[in-house]
C-alpha cells in the first residue's frame, strides 16, 4: 500500500498536516474513534490532553496492526477535542509527537480537527478516527 501525501499548488502549505492523500490498495479500513483507554478499557491520562492524544494514536496503531496494516496506511484522520481553543495546539502536538516516537512513524496526515462540547464519556478529552487503505 502506498499513501502519498500532497499539498497541491494553489492551497496553503501547512507544516502539521497535508491537504490530501492519494492511497492505492485493495482494502479500506474505517476505524471507529479511538479514545484514551488501554487494552483493558481503563482510562489513560485523566485530565491530560497530551496523554489522551498519545493513547488514541497508539490505539490506532494497534488496531491497524491487528488487521495487517500500520499507521503508515492511514489516509485521513478526524480529531475531536472537547472545548477546543487554539491554546491547546501545543498539547495536541505533544501527544502526537510522543505517539509518533513510540510507533516510529511520520504522523503528518490529512486531518480534520473539530472542537466539540462533549464526547461519549465525561473523562474523555479527545477522540481520533481514522481511514486507512491496506493492500
Amino acid at each position: 500500500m502506498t499513501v502519498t501525501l500532497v499539498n497541491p499548488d494553489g492551497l496553503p502549505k501547512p507544516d502539521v498536516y497535508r491537504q490530501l492523500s492519494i492511497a492505492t490498495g485493495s482494502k479500506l479500513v474505517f476505524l471507529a474513534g479511538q479514545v484514551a483507554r488501554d487494552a483493558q478499557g481503563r482510562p489513560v491520562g485523566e485530565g491530560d490532553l497530551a496523554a489522551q492524544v498519545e493513547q488514541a494514536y497508539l490505539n490506532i496503531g494497534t488496531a491497524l496492526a491487528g488487521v495487517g496494516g500500520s499507521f503508515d496506511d492511514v489516509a485521513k484522520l478526524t480529531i475531536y477535542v472537547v472545548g477546543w481553543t487554539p491554546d491547546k495546539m501545543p498539547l495536541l502536538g505533544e501527544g502526537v509527537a510522543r505517539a509518533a516516537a513510540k510507533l516510529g512513524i511520520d504522523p503528518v496526515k490529512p486531518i480534520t480537527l473539530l472542537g466539540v462540547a462533549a464526547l461519549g464519556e465525561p473523562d474523555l478529552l479527545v477522540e481520533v478516527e481514522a481511514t486507512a487503505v491496506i493492500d
Side-chain angles (χ1 to χ4, degrees):
M1 203 301 290
T2 302
V3 174
T4 304
L5 302 173
V6 180
N7 276 328
D9 290 338
L11 292 177
K13 310 281 189 271
D15 292 330
V16 296
Y17 69 93
R18 296 297 173 262
Q19 295 288 2
L20 60 94
S21 64
I22 303 165
T24 57
S26 58
K27 186 185 330 183
L28 289 175
V29 179
F30 300 94
L31 184 59
Q34 296 300 297
V35 297
R37 297 287 186 262
D38 66 14
Q40 289 72 43
R42 294 180 298 235
V44 173
E46 189 171 342
D48 183 342
L49 179 60
Q52 290 198 17
V53 169
E54 177 183 6
Q55 185 64 46
Y57 268 63
L58 293 174
N59 288 349
I60 290 169
T62 299
L64 291 173
V67 295
S70 74
F71 201 95
D72 289 331
D73 298 316
V74 171
K76 169 85 169 57
L77 296 168
T78 303
I79 303 174
Y80 303 89
V81 180
V82 173
W84 174 258
T85 55
D87 63 309
K88 293 181 181 179
M89 185 61 83
L91 293 171
L92 178 68
E94 178 185 334
V96 169
R98 291 192 324 222
K102 287 181 179 176
L103 294 168
I105 54 107
D106 178 354
V108 175
K109 304 288 182 180
I111 294 174
T112 299
L113 174 62
L114 299 168
V116 296
L119 292 168
E121 297 178 41
D123 64 313
L124 297 175
L125 302 175
V126 67
E127 185 167 332
V128 184
E129 64 182 26
T131 302
V133 182
I134 301 171
D135 277 335

